[in-house]
Amino acid sequence: MKIAGKLMLGMIAGAMAIASLTSCTTASSAADDGKTFTIWASGSDNVKVQFEQQVAKFNEIQDEYEAELQFITSGTGAESLSSRLIAAYQSGQTNTDYDLVEASDSEVINYLNQCGEDFFVEADTASMENYSNLQYQPSVGQEYYIPYRGTTVLLAYNSDTVPNPPTTAEELYQWIQDNPGRFAYNTPGSGGAGSSFVQTSIYNFLPEEALSSPDEVWAEEWDQGFELLESLHPYMYQSAGKVVYPNKNQGTLDLLANFEIDMCPAWADMVISQKMQGTMPESIQLVQIDPAFTGNLCGFIAPSFGTNHEGAQAFMDYMLSPDAQNIALESMAALPVIDFSLLDQELVKNIETLNISEFRSSSIGDLGTQINERWDREIATLG
């Protein structure tokens, strides 16, 4: 009897484990009512905070749909959202809760390269009341990709100690060597600011078209860039006599805010939003160098293997409204994709010098992961 009881408990535990493993990809019964839909996103905490506010606002102003958020924080070691989506599509899943997914324009290119156009549901832009507000179109996937914000990595610096910051990549590399220990970038696998610094350090030696190609042939041309990163290594921020690469985008910004370094690559929205909140010193300023670090349009796709396409479309439409754009601007200094005249002008003052059309984008697909892995082997292990 005791054995039977243990067997029954084991079966129940096993069933619960299976349920927990499939809950992230199988649509919940709540979604079957045609009302509930799930939004998937990933990134830093500021992106999460923004989405929590957007979901709350969307659910407040209408009662036809109910949005739920699934968020994967970058740098946690969890499987990437893009990997999960590609695996779901390639395994033939058809009834998932991947109803709406935030994606950068480079990720859209990656989905296209690996899965094709059947991966997406075409957006019904004619029925979107706010679609006419959109000022910027993605370079690919206009039929199914709806941008809602712009983002880019810039050079953040302490203007009190660096009154004349570098304006070119070459000047930056020279400044790093002339000022040992006063520059840092986060490990490229833990956040996009460090990844952008590493990628542009490599791809500045290559033709510009390489930065928008996932072709494996370009990996053969990375040596010069890695040699540069190796040569800069001894001049990076140090702690206890050893070079330290901070974890995550915020790790580097914390060093800058505490004046332990004078300069670092940083997401513009993170610096601006933290200055708005009073957690970043006023002396910290931003500048774009030439060739630039990378930036992206961020937006939404509705995967074809999601369940509630109508709810997903309603949220995409909402995100192009002035209310949603103001929330994104106020909560994380996201660069708006609609006419600035429709927005809160006090908020616009914080980002009016930034222009999405001038951003340099990166779309190298799985090569980005390969760069991170090679960096881990060759740069992170340097003494």
mmCIF file of all heavy atoms in Angstrom, residues 168-196:
data_model
loop_
_atom_site.group_PDB
_atom_site.id
_atom_site.type_symbol
_atom_site.label_atom_id
_atom_site.label_comp_id
_atom_site.label_asym_id
_atom_site.label_seq_id
_atom_site.Cartn_x
_atom_site.Cartn_y
_atom_site.Cartn_z
ATOM 1 N N THR A 168 35.577 59.538 -32.729
ATOM 2 C CA THR A 168 35.749 58.443 -33.686
ATOM 3 C C THR A 168 36.171 57.191 -32.914
ATOM 4 O O THR A 168 36.646 57.270 -31.769
ATOM 5 C CB THR A 168 36.819 58.758 -34.733
ATOM 6 O OG1 THR A 168 38.109 58.784 -34.101
ATOM 7 C CG2 THR A 168 36.549 60.090 -35.423
ATOM 8 N N ALA A 169 36.024 56.049 -33.563
ATOM 9 C CA ALA A 169 36.432 54.790 -32.934
ATOM 10 C C ALA A 169 37.930 54.788 -32.656
ATOM 11 O O ALA A 169 38.373 54.362 -31.579
ATOM 12 C CB ALA A 169 36.042 53.611 -33.829
ATOM 13 N N GLU A 170 38.716 55.293 -33.593
ATOM 14 C CA GLU A 170 40.167 55.323 -33.398
ATOM 15 C C GLU A 170 40.548 56.205 -32.214
ATOM 16 O O GLU A 170 41.434 55.866 -31.422
ATOM 17 C CB GLU A 170 40.857 55.810 -34.680
ATOM 18 C CG GLU A 170 40.868 54.796 -35.812
ATOM 19 C CD GLU A 170 41.584 53.506 -35.410
ATOM 20 O OE1 GLU A 170 42.608 53.569 -34.704
ATOM 21 O OE2 GLU A 170 41.093 52.423 -35.792
ATOM 22 N N GLU A 171 39.889 57.350 -32.081
ATOM 23 C CA GLU A 171 40.152 58.222 -30.936
ATOM 24 C C GLU A 171 39.772 57.535 -29.627
ATOM 25 O O GLU A 171 40.455 57.689 -28.605
ATOM 26 C CB GLU A 171 39.370 59.529 -31.079
ATOM 27 C CG GLU A 171 39.902 60.452 -32.168
ATOM 28 C CD GLU A 171 39.060 61.707 -32.306
ATOM 29 O OE1 GLU A 171 38.101 61.872 -31.516
ATOM 30 O OE2 GLU A 171 39.349 62.520 -33.204
ATOM 31 N N LEU A 172 38.675 56.756 -29.656
ATOM 32 C CA LEU A 172 38.252 56.036 -28.455
ATOM 33 C C LEU A 172 39.288 54.997 -28.052
ATOM 34 O O LEU A 172 39.670 54.918 -26.869
ATOM 35 C CB LEU A 172 36.902 55.361 -28.703
ATOM 36 C CG LEU A 172 36.426 54.405 -27.594
ATOM 37 C CD1 LEU A 172 36.295 55.142 -26.263
ATOM 38 C CD2 LEU A 172 35.117 53.740 -27.983
ATOM 39 N N TYR A 173 39.763 54.211 -29.012
ATOM 40 C CA TYR A 173 40.751 53.177 -28.679
ATOM 41 C C TYR A 173 42.035 53.810 -28.131
ATOM 42 O O TYR A 173 42.653 53.275 -27.210
ATOM 43 C CB TYR A 173 41.066 52.334 -29.913
ATOM 44 C CG TYR A 173 39.844 51.683 -30.533
ATOM 45 C CD1 TYR A 173 39.750 51.515 -31.919
ATOM 46 C CD2 TYR A 173 38.773 51.247 -29.749
ATOM 47 C CE1 TYR A 173 38.639 50.924 -32.495
ATOM 48 C CE2 TYR A 173 37.663 50.657 -30.316
ATOM 49 C CZ TYR A 173 37.594 50.502 -31.695
ATOM 50 O OH TYR A 173 36.484 49.923 -32.258
ATOM 51 N N GLN A 174 42.409 54.958 -28.695
ATOM 52 C CA GLN A 174 43.603 55.646 -28.199
ATOM 53 C C GLN A 174 43.362 56.187 -26.791
ATOM 54 O O GLN A 174 44.248 56.113 -25.925
ATOM 55 C CB GLN A 174 43.981 56.790 -29.148
ATOM 56 C CG GLN A 174 45.314 57.450 -28.814
ATOM 57 C CD GLN A 174 46.479 56.482 -28.903
ATOM 58 O OE1 GLN A 174 46.674 55.821 -29.915
ATOM 59 N NE2 GLN A 174 47.246 56.366 -27.811
ATOM 60 N N TRP A 175 42.160 56.718 -26.545
ATOM 61 C CA TRP A 175 41.838 57.242 -25.216
ATOM 62 C C TRP A 175 41.914 56.126 -24.176
ATOM 63 O O TRP A 175 42.422 56.341 -23.062
ATOM 64 C CB TRP A 175 40.439 57.860 -25.224
ATOM 65 C CG TRP A 175 40.087 58.566 -23.941
ATOM 66 C CD1 TRP A 175 40.216 59.896 -23.676
ATOM 67 C CD2 TRP A 175 39.580 57.970 -22.732
ATOM 68 N NE1 TRP A 175 39.819 60.180 -22.378
ATOM 69 C CE2 TRP A 175 39.425 59.000 -21.775
ATOM 70 C CE3 TRP A 175 39.246 56.670 -22.365
ATOM 71 C CZ2 TRP A 175 38.944 58.774 -20.487
ATOM 72 C CZ3 TRP A 175 38.768 56.434 -21.083
ATOM 73 C CH2 TRP A 175 38.622 57.470 -20.148
ATOM 74 N N ILE A 176 41.416 54.958 -24.518
ATOM 75 C CA ILE A 176 41.453 53.827 -23.586
ATOM 76 C C ILE A 176 42.892 53.512 -23.182
ATOM 77 O O ILE A 176 43.196 53.300 -21.998
ATOM 78 C CB ILE A 176 40.788 52.591 -24.225
ATOM 79 C CG1 ILE A 176 39.278 52.818 -24.393
ATOM 80 C CG2 ILE A 176 41.040 51.333 -23.388
ATOM 81 C CD1 ILE A 176 38.581 51.753 -25.216
ATOM 82 N N GLN A 177 43.790 53.511 -24.159
ATOM 83 C CA GLN A 177 45.194 53.202 -23.868
ATOM 84 C C GLN A 177 45.887 54.330 -23.102
ATOM 85 O O GLN A 177 46.796 54.080 -22.309
ATOM 86 C CB GLN A 177 45.924 52.907 -25.176
ATOM 87 C CG GLN A 177 45.408 51.652 -25.878
ATOM 88 C CD GLN A 177 46.089 51.415 -27.210
ATOM 89 O OE1 GLN A 177 47.288 51.122 -27.271
ATOM 90 N NE2 GLN A 177 45.333 51.544 -28.288
ATOM 91 N N ASP A 178 45.437 55.557 -23.341
ATOM 92 C CA ASP A 178 46.039 56.703 -22.652
ATOM 93 C C ASP A 178 45.512 56.876 -21.225
ATOM 94 O O ASP A 178 46.100 57.622 -20.431
ATOM 95 C CB ASP A 178 45.770 57.998 -23.438
ATOM 96 C CG ASP A 178 46.513 58.029 -24.761
ATOM 97 O OD1 ASP A 178 47.470 57.246 -24.927
ATOM 98 O OD2 ASP A 178 46.109 58.824 -25.642
ATOM 99 N N ASN A 179 44.405 56.192 -20.906
ATOM 100 C CA ASN A 179 43.770 56.334 -19.593
ATOM 101 C C ASN A 179 43.475 54.958 -19.006
ATOM 102 O O ASN A 179 42.310 54.540 -18.906
ATOM 103 C CB ASN A 179 42.474 57.145 -19.712
ATOM 104 C CG ASN A 179 42.711 58.556 -20.221
ATOM 105 O OD1 ASN A 179 42.942 59.467 -19.448
ATOM 106 N ND2 ASN A 179 42.653 58.717 -21.540
ATOM 107 N N PRO A 180 44.511 54.228 -18.620
ATOM 108 C CA PRO A 180 44.340 52.847 -18.140
ATOM 109 C C PRO A 180 43.354 52.761 -16.972
ATOM 110 O O PRO A 180 43.378 53.588 -16.052
ATOM 111 C CB PRO A 180 45.751 52.449 -17.689
ATOM 112 C CG PRO A 180 46.666 53.397 -18.379
ATOM 113 C CD PRO A 180 45.918 54.666 -18.554
ATOM 114 N N GLY A 181 42.481 51.768 -17.041
ATOM 115 C CA GLY A 181 41.547 51.496 -15.962
ATOM 116 C C GLY A 181 40.322 52.368 -15.913
ATOM 117 O O GLY A 181 39.461 52.189 -15.044
ATOM 118 N N ARG A 182 40.192 53.327 -16.850
ATOM 119 C CA ARG A 182 39.081 54.281 -16.788
ATOM 120 C C ARG A 182 37.974 53.971 -17.799
ATOM 121 O O ARG A 182 37.050 54.764 -17.967
ATOM 122 C CB ARG A 182 39.588 55.710 -17.005
ATOM 123 C CG ARG A 182 40.687 56.143 -16.047
ATOM 124 C CD ARG A 182 40.274 55.955 -14.590
ATOM 125 N NE ARG A 182 39.105 56.767 -14.235
ATOM 126 C CZ ARG A 182 38.477 56.696 -13.075
ATOM 127 N NH1 ARG A 182 38.871 55.828 -12.143
ATOM 128 N NH2 ARG A 182 37.425 57.473 -12.828
ATOM 129 N N PHE A 183 38.075 52.837 -18.461
ATOM 130 C CA PHE A 183 37.050 52.431 -19.435
ATOM 131 C C PHE A 183 36.629 51.005 -19.118
ATOM 132 O O PHE A 183 37.434 50.180 -18.673
ATOM 133 C CB PHE A 183 37.601 52.502 -20.860
ATOM 134 C CG PHE A 183 36.589 52.149 -21.927
ATOM 135 C CD1 PHE A 183 35.775 53.121 -22.477
ATOM 136 C CD2 PHE A 183 36.453 50.836 -22.382
ATOM 137 C CE1 PHE A 183 34.833 52.809 -23.454
ATOM 138 C CE2 PHE A 183 35.525 50.514 -23.363
ATOM 139 C CZ PHE A 183 34.718 51.496 -23.903
ATOM 140 N N ALA A 184 35.357 50.702 -19.371
ATOM 141 C CA ALA A 184 34.865 49.333 -19.176
ATOM 142 C C ALA A 184 33.760 49.048 -20.176
ATOM 143 O O ALA A 184 33.074 49.968 -20.659
ATOM 144 C CB ALA A 184 34.353 49.135 -17.754
ATOM 145 N N TYR A 185 33.599 47.778 -20.507
ATOM 146 C CA TYR A 185 32.403 47.326 -21.228
ATOM 147 C C TYR A 185 31.982 45.996 -20.630
ATOM 148 O O TYR A 185 32.814 45.221 -20.168
ATOM 149 C CB TYR A 185 32.638 47.233 -22.736
ATOM 150 C CG TYR A 185 33.641 46.203 -23.212
ATOM 151 C CD1 TYR A 185 33.247 44.900 -23.531
ATOM 152 C CD2 TYR A 185 34.990 46.539 -23.392
ATOM 153 C CE1 TYR A 185 34.163 43.961 -24.008
ATOM 154 C CE2 TYR A 185 35.912 45.607 -23.864
ATOM 155 C CZ TYR A 185 35.491 44.318 -24.176
ATOM 156 O OH TYR A 185 36.393 43.392 -24.651
ATOM 157 N N ASN A 186 30.673 45.751 -20.588
ATOM 158 C CA ASN A 186 30.182 44.521 -19.977
ATOM 159 C C ASN A 186 30.427 43.323 -20.891
ATOM 160 O O ASN A 186 30.612 43.465 -22.108
ATOM 161 C CB ASN A 186 28.692 44.624 -19.637
ATOM 162 C CG ASN A 186 27.815 44.877 -20.854
ATOM 163 O OD1 ASN A 186 27.709 46.025 -21.285
ATOM 164 N ND2 ASN A 186 27.203 43.836 -21.404
ATOM 165 N N THR A 187 30.469 42.149 -20.305
ATOM 166 C CA THR A 187 30.655 40.929 -21.099
ATOM 167 C C THR A 187 29.598 40.887 -22.191
ATOM 168 O O THR A 187 28.405 41.118 -21.923
ATOM 169 C CB THR A 187 30.546 39.687 -20.208
ATOM 170 O OG1 THR A 187 29.279 39.700 -19.528
ATOM 171 C CG2 THR A 187 31.653 39.643 -19.171
ATOM 172 N N PRO A 188 29.974 40.619 -23.424
ATOM 173 C CA PRO A 188 29.027 40.728 -24.536
ATOM 174 C C PRO A 188 27.839 39.777 -24.432
ATOM 175 O O PRO A 188 26.766 40.068 -24.964
ATOM 176 C CB PRO A 188 29.879 40.432 -25.768
ATOM 177 C CG PRO A 188 31.083 39.718 -25.248
ATOM 178 C CD PRO A 188 31.328 40.276 -23.880
ATOM 179 N N GLY A 189 28.027 38.658 -23.737
ATOM 180 C CA GLY A 189 26.910 37.730 -23.592
ATOM 181 C C GLY A 189 25.899 38.152 -22.549
ATOM 182 O O GLY A 189 24.805 37.577 -22.475
ATOM 183 N N SER A 190 26.223 39.175 -21.748
ATOM 184 C CA SER A 190 25.322 39.576 -20.662
ATOM 185 C C SER A 190 24.517 40.825 -20.975
ATOM 186 O O SER A 190 23.658 41.218 -20.186
ATOM 187 C CB SER A 190 26.120 39.796 -19.371
ATOM 188 O OG SER A 190 26.944 40.959 -19.455
ATOM 189 N N GLY A 191 24.776 41.468 -22.092
ATOM 190 C CA GLY A 191 24.022 42.673 -22.413
ATOM 191 C C GLY A 191 24.454 43.304 -23.720
ATOM 192 O O GLY A 191 25.604 43.168 -24.151
ATOM 193 N N GLY A 192 23.530 44.010 -24.349
ATOM 194 C CA GLY A 192 23.757 44.531 -25.692
ATOM 195 C C GLY A 192 24.769 45.643 -25.803
ATOM 196 O O GLY A 192 25.344 45.849 -26.877
ATOM 197 N N ALA A 193 25.018 46.407 -24.728
ATOM 198 C CA ALA A 193 25.996 47.492 -24.814
ATOM 199 C C ALA A 193 27.400 46.930 -25.024
ATOM 200 O O ALA A 193 28.136 47.373 -25.911
ATOM 201 C CB ALA A 193 25.941 48.358 -23.558
ATOM 202 N N GLY A 194 27.770 45.946 -24.212
ATOM 203 C CA GLY A 194 29.065 45.299 -24.390
ATOM 204 C C GLY A 194 29.149 44.557 -25.704
ATOM 205 O O GLY A 194 30.188 44.566 -26.378
ATOM 206 N N SER A 195 28.050 43.913 -26.085
ATOM 207 C CA SER A 195 28.016 43.199 -27.358
ATOM 208 C C SER A 195 28.227 44.152 -28.524
ATOM 209 O O SER A 195 28.945 43.843 -29.479
ATOM 210 C CB SER A 195 26.683 42.474 -27.507
ATOM 211 O OG SER A 195 26.581 41.840 -28.759
ATOM 212 N N SER A 196 27.616 45.341 -28.452
ATOM 213 C CA SER A 196 27.778 46.326 -29.521
ATOM 214 C C SER A 196 29.225 46.800 -29.614
ATOM 215 O O SER A 196 29.774 46.955 -30.714
ATOM 216 C CB SER A 196 26.845 47.519 -29.275
ATOM 217 O OG SER A 196 27.002 48.489 -30.284
#
